Each structure stands twice: as structure tokens, then as C-alpha cells.
Amino acid sequence: MKKMLGVVLVLIIFIGLVSCKNTKDAVKLNPESPITLTIWHYYHGPQQIAFDKMVEDFNSTVGLKNGIILEAYGYGSVNELSAAALDSANEKIGSKPMPNMFACYSDGAIQIDNMKKLANMEDYMSKDELKQYIPSFVEEGRLGADNSLKIFPIAKSSEIGMLNKTDFDKFVNEIQKDNVHISYDDLKTFEGITKVAEEYYKWTDAKTPEIKNDGKAFFGVDSIANFMNVVSHQMGKDLIVVKDGTAKVAYDEQSIHKLWELYYKNMIKGYFTSKGRFRSDDAKTGDLIYLVGATTGAAYFPAKVTVESGDSHAIEMMALPMPIIENGKKVVIQQGAGMCVSKSTKEKEYASILFLKWFTDAERNIDFSIDSSGYMPVKNSPGLEEAVQSKMSNLINSTTDKGKLVGYQNTSLVMGAFLEQFKTYEMFFAGVFNNSSKVRSLLDEFEKSTVAAVHDSREEMGAGASYDDVVSKYCSEDEFKKWYNSFDVAIKKMIN
């Protein structure tokens, strides 16, 4: 009898453990007694239209069958949404109750996860289900010391090169007459881009011999934080590594010096620029002709350039792979908010995951990603490339709006290059930790201080200082040492 009781007890414990590990098998929804879920997003324009349509489709099909009613609420921006979600998690007076699902970036999600208010997606998904998703997209959603899945991938973007092909070809054809040889191959590396940018600056400067040092910049990047993180990883020397939720400094002075040379020195010399809010704004005014920007910004690349005098001319865009540092690894950023599920009842958590799995069904996810312009679907499904290009072709062929047509054509070019790039590049994301958003802001400060230095250097030239003297002054090793020491102290203070 004692032995039988022992066996029964073991079986009960085993069944309990299995039930805990497979919560999804234990949850039952009742269509006769539907539950209501709330989801917060920051979509607007075409994205919101596409998302609202999908919520409507879900409610009338899977939701109706399982007894789930989904209510969606939009916020003006992801920052507004994150602030509202954090207020809700903190139960701040006047805040709304926590939504069942909300769009969020990793650095926002980790703050709420620290309060133990996010559900672990793996309680409701099998290993086989997770294997259907692109691995790096899943890994980006893992948070905390237990590395559990707290952010569900729904659509991801990246960065890519976008070139004003029309003006680049004109530049190349003219300088070849002077036996200066430039080609598209030079745009594959940052060192090659620097070489091209120097020639472009001299070529444009020579157009107005009566005005000294008024050459134009060739290149710019949309995100300095992405640039610094990606190029560091390309060199094999990350800025910061995160393991089990703990961050450690991984850079050294030599690797930071390389970043400083590639960006700061080229900005001071006038080869790179950052004037408008986005580099596509600078492309519109002819202040640069090549940029690295988000794939989601392809639709904003201009169809024509309008210079300060008011003259304008039509241009053609060319999409190119993300540049790499010479002898570096092929690395590109992956970015884009995912969806978090708030801890609540098992039924509501299960129902939330049911919606997210439905939403990321391969064909449905392609429709949403392309309608959202420049996002990549999150499942590694067969025929992905063909399906994406087919969707883009349908959009191009179905529109008569000239502005939208150019936007769709540019997005199609970028998506084609993105998918090709995806085959050979490592998709990289910076690890998330408690102060990761502050570190990113610090990297953005590098941009602001660089732009300020450019402004000061141009004022000195305007006052009569020579170009060479000003460049030597601002790009001296002493200047680097001062900047590096302040950067190093600030980073380590945020981590320690």
C-alpha cells in the first residue's frame, strides 16, 4: 500500500510539472462566455489601416470561434505608448489598466519585466512553433537572467544603402576624365565610401572656384547609435556585451578610435553630413547622395532633388547592401518593436498568444509587413522572397498616384536588396539591460557633439582660417583623447 501511494504521489507531481510546462494544453476558452482583450499600438496611416483590418478579421473568425474579442487602441508614437504602459505597470494615478498586449522595444519592456508583469510566451508555444520564426528575431525578445521570451516578433526592419544613382553616375563619368576611377564596388566598405566622399567633395568644391571649401558631402547615416554598434560588431569588438541581463564594456580605445575616424573626422572634413531630421531630407536638398537608413524609410527617398536656388531635377534610387568595414564581418542591424503580453489570467495570456500566432501566419504577416512599407515578415517560410516581391508588384501595378508609385518602387528595390542581404549578413541587435536606453541616448550625443564641432569649424573657416588648419585642429589626437575619456567615463558610469 505504501509503495502504491508513493507511485501515485510521484505521478501527481509529474503531471503537475508537465501541466506547468505546457500551460497551453491546460487552458480552455469558452465561446459562450467570450473574454475581451485590449491591445495598444502606435501604428498610423497605412499601418493602422492594415492593422485595424486584421483585428476585424480576427474578431470575425478565430476570435468568434474561441470566444475572444480584441479591442485595439492607437498612440501617437512608440515613446508615448511606452510611457503609458510604464505608467500602467506602476499603477500611476490616472493611468489606464494594463493592456493585455502592447507594442514595445526591448529597452522599454525590460523595465516592466523587472516588475514581474510580463508573461513568458514560451508557456504557450511549443519548440516546433518557435522554430518557424527567424531565430535572431526570437532571440531579441528574450529578457532577464532567465532569458525567457517576453517580446513577440511581429515585423522587423533593418538598414540598407540608398543611393542617388542619377547624380552618382554623373559624378563618376565626369571625374573619370581626370583619370580618377570610382565604381559601385567602392561603396561596399566604409573606407571605400570615405575615398569616394573625398573625391566628391573636391569635385563639387571645384564647381565654384570663387568660393573656397564649399564642397558637398557625399554620405550620411540615419542612426549614429546603430552605426557605432554595427561597425563595432563588424570589427569583432562590441561596445557592450550582455549576458544573463548583466552588461559589460567590451570596446577598447583602438576600436573607438576607428569609429571616431570613420564618422567624426569625415564630418569635420565635410565628406559626411547630418543636417535634416533624417538623411532622406538631406538627399532631397542635394546635401548628400548616398545614405544608410532604415528599410522602412525607403518610401521617403526623394524622386527629385531641389537645391537651395530652387532648381530641381528628377533622380533614380538604387538600393545597396549595408557597407562593412574593411576585412570586417558582414553585419547589419535588426530593429523594430515587438508585442509584449501582460501577466493576467491564464485564459487571457493564452488568448493573446493565440492572436499573435494568427497575426504572424506567413501570408498574413507578409501582407501586414509590406503594407507597413519596408518591414520584413518574421517567419522563415518557403518562397518568402517570391511572395514579398509579388506583393510589391501588385501594389505598384494597382496604384495611379504618382507619389505612392515612386514610394512603392523604392520600397520594392529596398525589400529586394534587404532579402538578398539577409542571406549573407548576420542580423545584429544590441543587448538590452536596465540602462540600455540611456546608453543609446549617450551614443546619440556623439552625433550632437559632432554636428556642433562641424558648425564651429565652419565658423572658423568663415573667419579666415584655412581648411587644412581647421581640420588639423579638430581632428587632432588630443581632441580624440579628450572625447574618448569623457565617453569612456560616461558609458562605464551607466553600466556600473
Side-chain angles (χ1 to χ4, degrees):
M1 180 64 72
K2 286 182 179 179
K3 286 183 179 180
M4 286 186 65
L5 286 172
V7 171
V8 171
L9 183 59
V10 169
L11 284 172
I12 290 170
I13 292 171
F14 176 75
I15 292 168
L17 289 172
V18 171
S19 297
C20 290
K21 289 182 179 179
N22 297 282
T23 310
K24 60 185 177 62
D25 297 327
V27 178
K28 300 296 181 184
L29 301 178
N30 182 5
E32 301 300 320
S33 180
I35 58 175
T36 299
L37 303 178
T38 54
I39 183 168
W40 291 359
H41 64 80
Y42 62 95
Y43 306 130
H44 54 273
Q47 283 180 300
Q48 182 169 357
I49 293 170
F51 187 74
D52 287 346
K53 177 66 168 59
M54 288 190 171
V55 169
E56 184 181 321
D57 290 346
F58 177 82
N59 283 337
S60 62
T61 55
V62 176
L64 183 64
K65 179 182 177 181
N66 289 275
I68 306 167
I69 300 170
L70 186 58
E71 295 179 348
Y73 299 91
Y75 282 77
S77 69
V78 68
N79 290 334
E80 290 176 35
L81 191 159
S82 296
L86 190 58
D87 286 347
S88 295
N90 282 314
E91 299 179 5
K92 189 175 179 179
I93 295 173
S95 65
K96 296 178 181 178
M98 278 287 284
N100 299 101
M101 292 171 277
F102 58 96
C104 198
Y105 284 96
S106 302
D107 51 7
I110 196 169
Q111 297 180 65
I112 298 175
D113 188 46
N114 287 339
M115 302 178 205
K116 311 297 182 186
K117 293 192 175 183
L118 294 183
N120 181 2
M121 316 276 183
E122 289 171 292
D123 288 343
Y124 305 94
M125 297 186 72
S126 67
K127 289 182 179 179
D128 286 339
E129 285 177 320
L130 281 174
K131 284 180 182 177
Q132 296 174 28
Y133 294 82
I134 293 168
S136 62
F137 294 176
V138 173
E139 290 307 306
E140 189 179 359
R142 296 189 181 280
L143 299 176
D146 62 350
N147 209 34
S148 56
L149 185 60
K150 300 295 177 61
I151 310 172
F152 199 103
I154 52 173
K156 289 292 180 181
S157 67
S158 186
E159 289 186 331
I160 207 154
M162 292 177 243
L163 176 71
N164 171 347
K165 184 179 184 300
T166 304
D167 289 335
F168 180 75
D169 288 347
K170 179 183 177 182
F171 157 60
V172 170
N173 290 335
E174 285 198 19
I175 63 169
Q176 281 180 342
K177 297 172 186 175
D178 301 323
N179 291 321
V180 178
H181 298 288
I182 298 292
S183 73
Y184 291 113
D185 284 342
D186 293 311
L187 306 183
K188 292 179 179 179
T189 66
F190 286 106
E191 290 85 353
I193 290 169
T194 297
K195 181 188 81 169
V196 174
E198 181 179 3
E199 294 298 334
Y200 185 74
Y201 181 89
K202 292 189 290 188
W203 178 70
T204 51
D205 185 33
K207 296 288 184 184
T208 53
E210 71 282 2
I211 305 174
K212 291 183 178 180
N213 306 317
D214 69 333
K216 286 185 174 293
F218 176 78
F219 180 73
V221 298
D222 254 344
S223 170
I224 188 64
N226 285 354
F227 171 81
M228 294 180 76
N229 274 306
V230 166
V231 176
S232 294
H233 197 67
Q234 289 179 355
M235 288 190 285
K237 201 74 177 177
D238 286 344
L239 294 178
I240 296 165
V241 293
V242 181
K243 186 175 181 181
D244 300 330
T246 302
K248 292 182 180 179
V249 164
Y251 63 81
D252 57 27
E253 187 172 337
Q254 184 180 358
S255 63
I256 298 299
H257 192 282
K258 184 64 176 178
L259 296 177
W260 187 77
E261 278 188 332
L262 283 177
Y263 191 79
Y264 176 88
K265 288 180 79 168
N266 282 328
M267 288 281 284
I268 293 294
K269 291 177 179 180
Y271 302 164
F272 293 6
T273 194
S274 174
K275 291 184 177 180
R277 185 181 178 190
F278 300 106
R279 301 296 71 75
S280 56
D281 297 327
D282 296 332
K284 288 176 187 175
T285 54
D287 287 308
L288 56 71
I289 63 173
Y290 186 39
L291 64 91
V292 164
T295 53
T296 51
Y300 300 101
F301 194 89
K304 65 179 181 179
V305 168
T306 303
V307 296
E308 194 174 345
S309 65
D311 294 336
S312 66
H313 61 279
I315 61 169
E316 177 188 352
M317 191 201 82
M318 182 178 186
L320 295 167
M322 174 74 187
I324 61 170
I325 195 167
E326 282 184 358
N327 302 316
K329 296 186 295 183
K330 288 186 174 182
V331 176
V332 67
I333 201 76
Q334 73 177 37
Q335 54 192 5
M339 282 285 176
C340 294
V341 174
S342 303
K343 277 191 175 179
S344 55
T345 65
K346 293 298 180 186
E347 289 74 20
K348 288 191 174 183
E349 291 175 13
Y350 171 76
S352 296
I353 301 298
L354 190 64
F355 166 73
L356 294 175
K357 289 193 288 189
W358 175 89
F359 182 74
T360 52
D361 173 75
E363 186 175 348
R364 191 173 293 112
N365 197 218
I366 288 171
D367 286 344
F368 176 75
S369 299
I370 300 305
D371 285 339
S372 300
S373 301
Y375 282 95
M376 183 171 176
V378 294
K379 280 190 172 179
N380 217 347
S381 53
L384 175 64
E385 190 169 349
E386 293 79 5
V388 168
Q389 292 299 351
S390 175
K391 173 71 174 177
M392 287 306 315
S393 295
N394 290 339
L395 287 172
I396 290 169
N397 295 330
S398 64
T399 185
T400 56
D401 184 304
K402 190 174 181 181
K404 282 187 177 181
L405 177 62
V406 172
Y408 289 149
Q409 288 171 334
N410 286 346
T411 299
S412 180
L413 289 171
V414 163
M415 287 305 296
F418 183 8
L419 289 165
E420 193 62 33
Q421 180 174 269
F422 183 72
K423 297 174 185 176
T424 56
Y425 276 64
E426 175 190 340
M427 299 294 284
F428 169 77
F429 58 91
V432 62
F433 52 98
N434 286 337
N435 280 339
S436 54
S437 60
K438 292 181 179 179
V439 169
R440 188 174 180 88
S441 296
L442 179 64
L443 299 182
D444 288 336
E445 286 298 319
F446 178 47
E447 169 85 4
K448 293 176 184 177
S449 64
T450 301
V451 171
V454 170
H455 176 268
D456 292 344
S457 69
R458 293 307 179 264
E459 282 202 337
E460 289 188 25
M461 288 183 203
S466 74
Y467 174 87
D468 290 341
D469 287 346
V470 169
V471 169
S472 295
K473 172 185 173 182
Y474 281 84
C475 297
S476 69
E477 286 302 305
D478 285 343
E479 284 297 311
F480 168 72
K481 285 282 188 182
K482 285 191 292 185
W483 179 84
Y484 175 77
N485 289 336
S486 63
F487 170 85
D488 188 47
V489 168
I491 288 280
K492 287 176 179 174
K493 184 178 179 181
M494 287 180 183
I495 292 178
N496 300 328

